[in-house]
Amino acid sequence: ALTGYVTLAAALDPQLRRRLSEEAHVHGAEFLYRWLCIRDPVRARAIDPADRYRVLRALEVALAAGDARERKRPHVSLVTQGVPFLKVFVEIDDARLHRRIESRVDAMLGGGFLEEAECIGADAVAASAVGYPQAIAFLRGWSTSRELRATIVRATRRYAKRQATWFRTEPQTTWLTSCDAPARIRTLAREKL
């Protein structure tokens, strides 16, 4: 069931993607989300209206597939498929998280991230994701390499904080500390799954 969605998503029209990228630059997130609500209300309910990337991706799928009211394919999720699942958020202390973020940023920069950002370009929807605006600013000569690293680290820390805040509102999420996570996850999986 999930493979049908993946196949459809993989075969989408590049012109449609460009059009939606242009729409995203002209219209605000609220407009795009309302458009998605009209085209595919079921999928819209599963997406945070402020998550522009996911809203645009869902719009792309909805527009490529035709009017949501005409489609016979039901919304597919773990819940609708009856698949048992466990949502776990592993909380890591700030100092450790910050070290891991810095290490990840260094690995990204050393692994070709600037080349990737250059290929994607400033107009792509993905160019608004964490790290890309900073990389594009660097490529345009607006920052130094030290500033590039510092701004990506800062943006990633802020994003991690927003994620933690968002997960606190997620229903049925089990919060664990990093020291007890492996053993607790095994226990919870045996109990709930």
Side-chain angles (χ1 to χ4, degrees):
L2 288 173
T3 56
Y5 177 77
V6 172
T7 303
L8 173 64
L12 293 178
D13 183 359
Q15 289 180 330
L16 176 59
R17 184 169 285 179
R18 273 194 299 280
R19 174 187 166 212
L20 286 171
S21 179
E22 291 167 8
E23 294 287 348
H25 287 291
V26 174
H27 301 289
E30 184 180 329
F31 172 87
L32 297 169
Y33 185 74
R34 280 186 284 143
W35 188 9
L36 177 61
C37 288
I38 292 167
R39 298 301 299 199
D40 194 342
V42 173
R43 190 164 311 283
R45 283 192 297 273
I47 297 174
D48 179 359
D51 189 341
R52 264 176 44 131
Y53 177 79
R54 282 193 166 73
V55 168
L56 283 170
R57 192 69 177 124
L59 258 174
E60 188 176 349
V61 171
L63 291 170
D67 194 316
R69 292 177 298 248
E70 296 172 6
R71 284 186 283 148
K72 303 278 190 254
R73 183 176 54 85
H75 176 68
V76 177
S77 70
L78 294 175
V79 174
T80 62
Q81 296 300 301
V83 176
F85 65 93
L86 179 65
K87 263 194 278 188
V88 176
F89 185 91
V90 180
E91 199 161 21
I92 300 171
D93 68 88
D94 286 345
R96 185 174 172 201
L97 178 62
H98 292 174
R99 284 192 306 274
R100 290 176 74 176
I101 287 171
E102 289 176 8
S103 175
R104 175 69 181 125
V105 169
D106 291 339
M108 286 170 48
L109 291 173
F113 181 65
L114 289 173
E115 292 81 5
E116 179 182 322
E118 189 172 33
C119 287
I120 287 175
D123 295 328
V125 174
S128 64
V130 174
Y132 288 97
Q134 296 82 4
I136 290 168
F138 172 78
L139 292 169
R140 290 181 174 169
W142 298 342
S143 66
T144 66
S145 58
R146 177 181 279 172
E147 291 168 331
L148 168 66
R149 181 186 185 277
T151 56
I152 293 176
V153 166
R154 185 171 49 248
T156 305
R157 285 179 181 172
R158 288 177 180 159
Y159 185 68
K161 186 173 183 174
R162 286 194 309 271
Q163 282 182 317
T165 300
W166 184 82
F167 271 108
R168 286 189 200 332
T169 65
E170 269 292 283
Q172 302 171 340
T173 301
T174 303
W175 282 76
L176 304 173
T177 61
S178 58
C179 59
D180 71 349
R184 288 276 296 133
I185 290 171
R186 282 191 294 274
T187 303
L188 289 167
R190 279 192 301 270
E191 292 172 1
K192 296 186 178 189
L193 304 177

